[in-house]
Amino acid sequence: MKWSCVDTCCWLIGCICVTWWLLLFLYNAMPASFNQYVTEAITGPVPDPPGVKLRKEGLRARHPVVFVPGIVTGGLELWEGKQCADGLFRKRLWGGTFGEVYKRPLCWVEHMSLDNETGLDPSGIRVRPVSGLVAADYFAPGYFVWAVLIANLARIGYEEKTMYMASYDWRISYQNTEVRDQTLSRIKSHIELMVATNGGNKAVIIPHSMGVLYFLHFMKWVEAPAPMGGGGGPDWCSKHIKAVMNIGGPFLGVPKAVAGLFSSEAKDIAVARAIAPGFLDNDLFRLQTLQHAMKMTRTWDSTMSMVPKGGDTIWGGVDWSPEEICSPSSRKQRNNDTQANGDQSHQTGNTKRVNYGRIISFGKDVAEAPSSEIEMIDFRDAVKGNSVANTTCKDVWTEYHDMGIGGIKAVAEYKTYTAGSIIDLLQFVAPKMMARGSAHFSYGIADNLDDPKYQHYKYWSNPLETKLPNAPDMEIFSMYGVGIPTERAYVYKLSPSAECYIPFQIDTSADDTEEDSCLNDGVYSVDGDETVPVLSAGFMCAKAWRGKTRFNPSGSRTYIREYDHSPPSNLLEGRGTQSGAHVDIMGNFALIEDIIRVAAGGSGEDIGGDQVYSDIFKWSENINLQL
């Protein structure tokens, strides 16, 4: 009998499956303490989890806690769907096993998308957030989000009546979560109930990632009069909130959001496309991955809340940026005196000036050239032309096809875009998306916060266009990881077959030759948590809110708590207990300990005030913003 290629493939797949099931059986058959035993044999005794340690110190549950999950980490389930979704009633479409993505991908994309005109439910489809602590304790089996923090809080006496997961549909705009689901009203009622049933002890709010912006919106909504707001009055936050402990907060947005909206990419996707050219663009099982991803995510209005805010004043222009130079040197922790006098120059080794203010540049030469040598041809008045790509390429229709090749070339000929011109760029390439987004979000800096226009909800999630509540006793923390290269600016190029597919892509061939370069695979990196740059996570608490300022008129105390990233020492440690990565930090023992101490009654001073490893105070002083 002749051995064929099919036989070889079947034999190989069988071997892989048998090996996988054998390893899975052995893993489940091991004692629960085996991982800890091996880890201790390699690295020494493992410290007690924070909850165990602090319980031994006598700490007990005191203040009720409210978790506010971020984008993508909260589960979504189906309540009404099309025929292709039969059998999925109240099954998770997001979070969990993601089995439906593989079984019926086009049906899944249809049900995860929102209406492109309203930003709300498409006809005949209702997808709603999962409720309870299970909504965001795990993102997928074995991949924790809030689970480790919840478990450690439970060790000092917390239970479900003193913990609340403020789950919401993270796809829709913040105000629309109230319009459609009354989510903001539910959060208000839960906080009031928890405070009333816990002896009047104020709540500790713990938002993560986009949840930070969502809760900023909530604090303005709850004060504002009905019907736009919750009618709680100007002292509601002062009466009900002890502290807001923001984890990985993109207060001023993230450049990564620009790349996602512009080309449905980030660094990882760009590298994957470079390794397997055409794989993500071609018609694979009738699912052109990037086009479908773009069509779907551009209906999620929430993503527009993370476009960089503050324009060139915050993020830098063509010739400058607050971070100034690339310096991959090791950091040294500094105390409060060092932070206060702003003398944080600790640069060592190789340094190179980087034009971080150029968030998008078409070509490495443009990214590095003096501005006087860049000929920028304005794209705003370019004539768009219809494309016949929809019939000739048989691909997924996106707004790019309405631009035509003339509009596409005009974007590239402008050469470079700063935070100020990014908004115009997105309005040019995605007018439908930005028409919805502009009704719900704003990206500027307020000249006069007393102007009545700032009473509109579109400004409430922008900390540069709204005031903190009148709550002098409320403490605000910025807690985030540092020590990981984080996307800050991009080198782009025109895609092959731009008329058919997404016309722009990150140029992964753009690299610096120096060791420890800040330019790799077409992406310029700065210090951060892999998703949020330090500048966005730390600036408000480092400067704009510090002391009594026009953004913080009551003088709420602010603290910066940075956690220097340390990867796990071996595979058995999982994602590590000292990680500073954007989601993995939720299992960071030092961060969890800080949260528990505050929840048990401590203050920012009790946990040591500021803890800073980065140059956030120096970079903040480089920003000329009237306070």
Side-chain angles (χ1 to χ4, degrees):
M1 188 174 95
K2 189 175 181 180
W3 189 263
S4 69
C5 292
V6 174
D7 295 323
T8 303
C9 291
C10 291
W11 179 83
L12 182 61
I13 292 171
C15 287
I16 293 172
C17 290
V18 170
T19 304
W20 169 254
W21 285 111
L22 178 62
L23 291 173
L24 192 63
F25 171 79
L26 292 174
Y27 177 81
N28 287 314
M30 286 190 302
S33 59
F34 181 76
N35 284 0
Q36 181 177 346
Y37 173 79
V38 175
T39 300
E40 289 184 353
I42 297 172
T43 63
V46 176
D48 284 335
V52 174
K53 171 187 173 183
L54 298 181
R55 184 176 179 85
K56 291 177 180 177
E57 291 184 15
L59 271 65
R60 295 296 183 269
R62 181 174 179 184
H63 295 273
V65 296
V66 177
F67 311 116
V68 187
I71 192 169
V72 311
T73 54
L76 299 174
E77 60 188 16
L78 184 69
W79 280 83
E80 181 184 1
K82 300 293 181 68
Q83 185 175 357
C84 68
D86 284 350
L88 296 181
F89 176 67
R90 294 199 63 201
K91 297 290 194 303
R92 288 201 183 197
L93 294 188
W94 189 269
T97 62
F98 287 91
E100 298 311 315
V101 179
Y102 312 113
K103 294 178 184 176
R104 29 189 159 183
L106 292 179
C107 182
W108 178 83
V109 167
E110 180 183 10
H111 285 75
M112 282 298 296
S113 299
L114 295 168
D115 186 274
N116 203 30
E117 300 293 335
T118 66
L120 294 170
D121 294 326
S123 176
I125 293 176
R126 283 185 294 147
V127 175
R128 296 293 181 264
V130 178
S131 60
L133 296 178
V134 297
D137 54 353
Y138 287 90
F139 176 63
Y143 190 86
F144 69 80
V145 184
W146 294 92
V148 178
L149 176 57
I150 291 170
N152 279 278
L153 284 165
R155 288 186 172 108
I156 68 163
Y158 279 92
E159 50 189 288
E160 194 143 14
K161 68 181 181 181
T162 48
M163 294 188 287
Y164 170 58
M165 182 71 71
S167 57
Y168 58 98
D169 189 338
W170 45 262
R171 301 172 301 160
I172 63 180
S173 71
Y174 305 157
Q175 191 68 6
N176 274 343
T177 64
E178 175 66 14
V179 171
R180 195 192 73 180
D181 301 333
Q182 295 76 55
T183 304
L184 299 173
S185 293
R186 295 171 191 273
I187 295 173
K188 176 176 181 283
S189 298
H190 269 90
I191 293 176
E192 290 171 345
L193 177 64
M194 293 171 79
V195 171
T197 56
N198 281 275
N201 288 317
K202 300 178 186 178
V204 172
I205 314 298
I206 312 170
H208 172 245
S209 190
M210 193 183 78
V212 168
L213 302 180
Y214 187 68
F215 197 75
L216 272 180
H217 182 97
F218 170 84
M219 288 194 292
K220 297 304 294 183
W221 174 89
V222 76
E223 294 180 333
M228 187 182 294
D235 60 349
W236 190 93
C237 291
S238 180
K239 289 180 178 179
H240 294 90
I241 301 176
K242 166 184 165 57
V244 185
M245 307 191 76
N246 302 290
I247 304 174
F251 287 102
L252 303 177
V254 287
K256 201 171 187 176
V258 175
L261 293 171
F262 186 55
S263 62
S264 202
E265 287 181 296
K267 183 176 181 179
D268 295 341
I269 296 294
V271 171
R273 183 152 70 172
I275 293 173
F279 181 78
L280 292 175
D281 295 311
N282 289 333
D283 193 354
L284 178 66
F285 304 123
R286 301 191 62 79
L287 177 65
Q288 293 156 309
T289 311
L290 286 184
Q291 282 100 314
H292 275 289
M294 172 172 283
K295 187 175 181 180
M296 177 177 66
T297 57
R298 280 192 176 181
T299 68
W300 298 348
D301 289 353
S302 63
T303 58
M304 287 175 275
S305 70
M306 293 192 289
V307 171
K309 303 174 178 67
D312 295 2
T313 300
I314 298 294
W315 294 92
V318 174
D319 290 317
W320 80 281
S321 63
E323 299 97 333
E324 295 178 334
I325 58 176
C326 167
S327 178
S329 59
S330 60
R331 285 183 304 279
K332 179 181 178 182
Q333 184 176 0
R334 291 169 294 286
N335 58 29
N336 291 355
D337 293 337
T338 311
Q339 299 154 13
N341 62 33
D343 182 15
Q344 298 178 13
S345 179
H346 64 287
Q347 310 290 352
T348 60
N350 177 49
T351 62
K352 178 182 177 181
R353 185 175 180 85
V354 178
N355 297 316
Y356 286 121
R358 305 177 190 183
I359 294 179
I360 287 179
S361 298
F362 278 88
K364 181 184 175 186
D365 55 336
V366 172
E368 298 179 347
S371 58
S372 59
E373 298 179 7
I374 302 175
E375 183 181 358
M376 301 167 67
I377 302 173
D378 200 341
F379 65 92
R380 296 173 182 87
D381 298 324
V383 177
K384 297 182 180 181
N386 291 327
S387 170
V388 294
N390 195 35
T391 56
T392 59
C393 301
K394 299 180 181 179
D395 63 351
V396 182
W397 192 258
T398 69
E399 287 193 73
Y400 276 126
H401 299 115
D402 294 328
M403 290 175 58
I405 196 64
I408 291 168
K409 287 183 176 178
V411 169
E413 288 172 354
Y414 191 69
K415 304 295 187 186
T416 188
Y417 296 85
T418 65
S421 54
I422 284 292
I423 306 302
D424 291 336
L425 171 64
L426 292 176
Q427 288 174 339
F428 186 79
V429 302
K432 286 185 179 180
M433 177 188 76
M434 290 302 289
R436 296 192 320 272
S438 298
H440 288 273
F441 303 108
S442 182
Y443 311 100
I445 301 174
D447 294 323
N448 176 15
L449 286 165
D450 294 322
D451 189 322
K453 78 174 186 178
Y454 292 112
Q455 295 174 12
H456 192 275
Y457 59 77
K458 69 181 288 184
Y459 301 102
W460 292 349
S461 62
N462 182 354
L464 300 172
E465 294 184 304
T466 190
K467 298 177 185 178
L468 285 177
N470 181 25
D473 296 328
M474 182 178 74
E475 295 182 320
I476 299 179
F477 296 79
S478 283
M479 314 172 79
Y480 54 90
V482 295
I484 309 177
T486 303
E487 297 174 37
R488 176 66 163 84
Y490 303 88
V491 177
Y492 267 86
K493 66 179 181 179
L494 280 174
S495 304
S497 303
E499 293 169 303
C500 290
Y501 304 117
I502 297 173
F504 311 109
Q505 66 184 71
I506 297 171
D507 184 0
T508 54
S509 66
D511 280 297
D512 271 344
T513 56
E514 296 90 348
E515 188 178 356
D516 293 330
S517 167
C518 288
L519 173 62
N520 290 290
D521 300 316
V523 179
Y524 285 100
S525 300
V526 291
D527 197 3
D529 69 0
E530 203 168 35
T531 295
V532 183
V534 165
L535 186 69
S536 180
F539 173 75
M540 295 306 297
C541 281
K543 182 174 181 178
W545 285 338
R546 184 144 295 210
K548 284 192 176 184
T549 70
R550 67 191 183 101
F551 302 105
N552 181 16
S554 69
S556 298
R557 293 295 300 271
T558 64
Y559 301 94
I560 288 182
R561 301 288 294 176
E562 294 184 344
Y563 303 88
D564 202 9
H565 175 70
S566 180
S569 58
N570 61 73
L571 292 175
L572 294 176
E573 286 188 24
R575 289 148 66 192
T577 61
Q578 301 178 63
S579 176
H582 187 64
V583 177
D584 294 357
I585 197 173
M586 304 289 278
N588 185 299
F589 276 15
L591 176 138
I592 293 172
E593 182 174 331
D594 287 346
I595 289 174
I596 292 177
R597 288 188 182 279
V598 173
S603 67
E605 293 301 324
D606 293 333
I607 64 173
D610 294 316
Q611 174 178 275
V612 178
Y613 296 89
S614 74
D615 277 327
I616 182 58
F617 285 93
K618 176 183 176 182
W619 295 338
S620 297
E621 288 306 314
N622 289 341
I623 296 173
N624 183 21
L625 179 65
Q626 178 187 350
L627 301 178

